[in-house]
Amino acid sequence: MLDHDKELDARGLNCPLPILRTKKSLADMTSGQILKIVATDPGATRDFQAFSKQTGNELLEHAEAEGVFTYFMRKK
């Protein structure tokens, strides 16, 4: 697990809400800070990969354990 500056709990939310909440959280952060996102939507991995490519925010790592997905994203 990476050190992170802020955490977003998106469990129980379905697409596109985890991405929308992530976008809002990143807007309040400074460049280089790391956001940890916890989600339960199985489609979120694909969404976060696409979001990273579109926005330039770096998806540092992601993992899945028992139906819970954890993502670490660095604000560009």
Side-chain angles (χ1 to χ4, degrees), residues 28-63:
D28 296 335
M29 297 171 70
T30 57
S31 183
Q33 285 189 311
I34 296 175
L35 175 65
K36 175 184 177 183
I37 307 114
V38 182
T40 50
D41 180 2
T45 299
R46 188 178 59 246
D47 296 340
F48 278 107
Q49 289 167 338
F51 176 77
S52 176
K53 282 189 183 130
Q54 289 169 355
T55 62
N57 295 300
E58 186 182 1
L59 184 58
L60 300 171
E61 69 177 59
H62 63 275

Side-chain angles (χ1 to χ4, degrees), residues 4-76:
H4 53 281
D5 301 287
K6 190 172 178 180
E7 185 166 335
L8 170 66
D9 184 352
R11 287 178 285 200
L13 301 177
N14 291 324
C15 181
L17 290 174
I19 293 292
L20 294 175
R21 299 269 171 95
T22 296
K23 192 174 178 180
K24 189 173 190 292
S25 293
L26 287 170
D28 296 335
M29 297 171 70
T30 57
S31 183
Q33 285 189 311
I34 296 175
L35 175 65
K36 175 184 177 183
I37 307 114
V38 182
T40 50
D41 180 2
T45 299
R46 188 178 59 246
D47 296 340
F48 278 107
Q49 289 167 338
F51 176 77
S52 176
K53 282 189 183 130
Q54 289 169 355
T55 62
N57 295 300
E58 186 182 1
L59 184 58
L60 300 171
E61 69 177 59
H62 63 275
E64 187 262 331
E66 297 175 15
V68 178
F69 301 86
T70 307
Y71 306 92
F72 290 90
M73 189 166 273
R74 184 190 331 258
K75 180 169 174 146
K76 67 172 181 177

